[in-house]
């Protein structure tokens, strides 16, 4: 799943599948709240990649692509990895 987390709390978190289409299943409210708590940017969007285990309502994050609207693609993977939340 690729998650696009907006700074605006009134906007929905967008969850895209591997084909670049929005997932049909919406994030649960507890999941959306926790993602906002961990990843909400000050302005613009944060974009992360992960694996969504829908049946268990779990997302394992493994890459940080955009932080507060700024692309992180030029950073080595190890640097992007360090930006991910560790324990929650």
């Amino acid at each position: 799943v690729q998650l696009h987390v907006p700074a605006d709390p009134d906007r929905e978190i967008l969850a895209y599948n591997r084909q670049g289409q929005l997932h049909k299943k919406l994030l649960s409210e507890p999941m959306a709240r926790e993602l906002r708590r961990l990843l909400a940017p000050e302005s613009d969007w944060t974009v992360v990649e992960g694996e969504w285990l829908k049946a268990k309502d779990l997302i394992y994050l493994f890459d940080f692509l955009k932080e507060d609207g700024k692309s992180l693609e030029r950073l080595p993977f190890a640097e992007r990895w360090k930006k991910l939340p560790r324990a929650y």
Side-chain angles (χ1 to χ4, degrees):
V1 65
Q2 188 176 86
L3 298 167
H4 294 238
V5 182
D8 183 348
D10 294 327
R11 294 189 69 180
E12 187 176 326
I13 295 174
L14 304 176
Y16 291 92
N17 64 24
R18 289 182 179 98
Q19 290 76 39
Q21 299 172 345
L22 286 172
H23 271 283
K24 292 178 183 175
K25 180 178 173 135
L26 298 176
L27 294 170
S28 68
E29 190 54 39
M31 176 69 71
R33 267 195 316 272
E34 188 66 0
L35 287 167
R36 285 186 190 284
R37 184 183 75 77
L38 294 167
L39 301 169
E42 292 180 24
S43 63
D44 215 328
W45 293 79
T46 288
V47 179
V48 293
E49 290 268 353
E51 187 64 32
W52 186 7
L53 305 178
K54 294 175 205 77
K56 294 183 178 186
D57 199 30
L58 292 172
I59 296 177
Y60 292 96
L61 300 178
F62 54 76
D63 204 355
F64 211 124
L65 304 177
K66 190 178 277 193
E67 183 176 37
D68 209 15
K70 295 176 187 159
S71 175
L72 302 177
E73 67 184 22
R74 292 182 184 221
L75 290 177
F77 176 74
E79 292 299 313
R80 296 191 315 268
W81 174 259
K82 288 178 189 176
K83 293 180 171 288
L84 290 170
R86 291 286 171 240
Y88 43 92

